[in-house]
Amino acid sequence: MIKRCGKLEWFLFTLIAITLFNTFLGERFASTVLVNIIIAATVTYKGFTVIDHFMELKSGNKHLRFLMKFYFLIFPSMIIISAFY
Amino acid sequence: MNNNMNSEQSNGSLGIFPKSWSEQHAGRIPGNIPIWVGILSELTEFAIFFVAYFVAKFYYPDVFITGPQSLHTSLGVANTIILLTSSYFMAKAMVNIRLDNLAKCERYLWLAFFCGCMYLAVKTWEFHWNDLQGFSTNTSEFFTVYYYMTFNHFLHVGWASCAILWVIFRLRSGAYSAQNNAGLEALAVYWHMIDLMWILIFPLLYVLR
């Protein structure tokens, strides 16, 4: 259980660090394709982390997990596509 | 007939999903089925907002470059950190109810509730700040999408915070334990869904230019 609690804290710090990194990218750089890809990838990672470890779908219903993860693949993909227009 | 209905309810399918979706075949459903019907409906609602965002950005690219630069980014970052932290507190509340540690579970629920209130306060301040800058729903297409998306999310955080109070009341009255906590878990997954939506909203409105 100590290990499990440690994991939750680690995920929280990682999610906050990614948020700050994304903000830095947005503030410093214009939305190029590369910036959009990085932001989309980090949004997907954040979504997957919450779905698997906070919602606990990693060990839960595989169909719900698929639907949730699919959502976090579709919209970040649209972030990448939006860089081209 | 009645026995068949009871067995359907006990395997968590309610008889409305294919057998392959049952807990025995596909794995445990966190919370309960009704909350997941709600969550999937909310995800559909927000999906429509996100599609509207990308369509509007396609037709009005200029206002979607200048729009995010007009916003108070620090308040958006603060709210992201607040919601992520609230999700962590909710996960910790679940860890503690499974240990039958009711006092600690309640403490984490209060912390999650406090984060919800903080979010609402920061967002209210942000709306006020926008108003002082002269921004409204009619300022540009970006602000129309911004207010539509963020105010809707604001409402979700508001009623989910009220739900935390209700769950704390139920916890105090002995409704939840290590063996029986589906109601608490249903609130937890709903709260995480709200956090997930903000994870998508934040880069769309504050980061991408």
Side-chain angles (χ1 to χ4, degrees):
Chain A
M1 190 49 67
I2 290 168
K3 197 179 172 190
R4 163 111 184 99
C5 290
K7 261 190 176 179
L8 283 179
E9 276 93 46
W10 168 251
F11 286 128
L12 175 65
F13 294 137
T14 308
L15 291 171
I16 291 174
I18 290 172
T19 301
L20 295 175
F21 174 69
N22 274 355
T23 310
F24 170 78
L25 275 183
E27 290 285 310
R28 284 301 181 98
F29 302 100
S31 282
T32 59
V33 175
L34 179 64
V35 169
N36 278 37
I37 288 172
I38 293 170
I39 289 172
T42 54
V43 167
T44 300
Y45 175 79
K46 283 168 80 176
F48 281 17
T49 301
V50 172
I51 290 163
D52 276 346
H53 303 286
F54 286 2
M55 277 184 153
E56 300 176 337
L57 280 174
K58 193 173 186 178
S59 55
N61 190 282
K62 64 181 180 183
H63 297 300
L64 289 175
R65 186 179 185 226
F66 170 78
L67 283 175
M68 296 298 293
K69 288 199 161 188
F70 187 63
Y71 201 90
F72 269 82
L73 284 174
I74 291 292
F75 289 105
S77 302
M78 287 174 81
I79 289 177
I80 296 171
I81 293 168
S82 72
F84 293 99
Y85 59 76
Chain B
M1 176 72 174
N2 202 23
N3 282 346
N4 190 30
M5 221 164 124
N6 286 340
S7 78
E8 278 175 347
Q9 285 176 344
S10 66
N11 73 16
S13 73
L14 293 178
I16 57 173
F17 294 115
K19 203 179 173 188
S20 60
W21 277 67
S22 67
E23 292 197 314
Q24 287 88 340
H25 287 83
R28 197 179 78 85
I29 295 171
N32 50 47
I33 288 181
I35 198 67
W36 277 100
V37 173
I39 287 172
L40 295 177
S41 306
E42 304 275 22
L43 290 180
T44 307
E45 180 194 10
F46 277 100
I48 293 167
F49 294 156
F50 297 139
V51 169
Y53 167 91
F54 286 110
V55 170
K57 191 174 182 180
F58 178 77
Y59 284 105
Y60 308 99
D62 294 340
V63 293
F64 278 79
I65 292 170
T66 55
Q69 292 167 12
S70 319
L71 293 177
H72 201 313
T73 310
S74 308
L75 296 179
V77 175
N79 263 345
T80 309
I81 293 171
I82 288 168
L83 275 187
L84 289 172
T85 309
S86 71
S87 258
Y88 163 77
F89 288 144
M90 202 53 97
K92 291 289 279 184
M94 282 311 303
V95 167
N96 281 287
I97 193 70
R98 286 178 190 137
L99 294 171
D100 241 343
N101 195 339
L102 303 188
K104 261 192 154 180
C105 175
E106 185 182 334
R107 202 177 310 152
Y108 280 115
L109 285 173
W110 277 116
L111 286 169
F113 174 74
F114 177 71
C115 284
C117 293
M118 284 271 290
Y119 171 93
L120 295 173
V122 171
K123 187 49 79 183
T124 303
W125 170 251
E126 187 181 335
F127 286 150
H128 175 65
W129 186 86
N130 286 348
D131 190 45
L132 292 178
Q133 312 306 310
F135 302 135
S136 72
T137 51
N138 296 323
T139 303
S140 69
E141 288 75 11
F142 171 81
F143 276 96
T144 305
V145 173
Y146 162 85
Y147 277 109
Y148 206 43
M149 226 184 251
T150 55
F151 187 70
N152 200 284
H153 190 266
F154 179 92
L155 292 178
H156 281 75
V157 175
W159 65 58
S161 298
C162 296
I164 295 178
L165 286 180
W166 170 247
V167 164
I168 290 171
F169 169 74
R170 297 261 299 150
L171 180 72
R172 283 186 161 193
S173 57
Y176 305 126
S177 64
Q179 287 75 36
N180 176 21
N181 51 50
L184 173 55
E185 195 173 33
L187 170 73
V189 288
Y190 187 82
W191 189 267
H192 294 313
M193 180 278 294
I194 292 172
D195 182 28
L196 282 172
M197 291 305 95
W198 186 257
I199 284 174
L200 269 168
I201 290 171
F202 174 68
L204 295 183
L205 297 178
Y206 295 86
V207 179
L208 295 169
R209 276 123 209 237

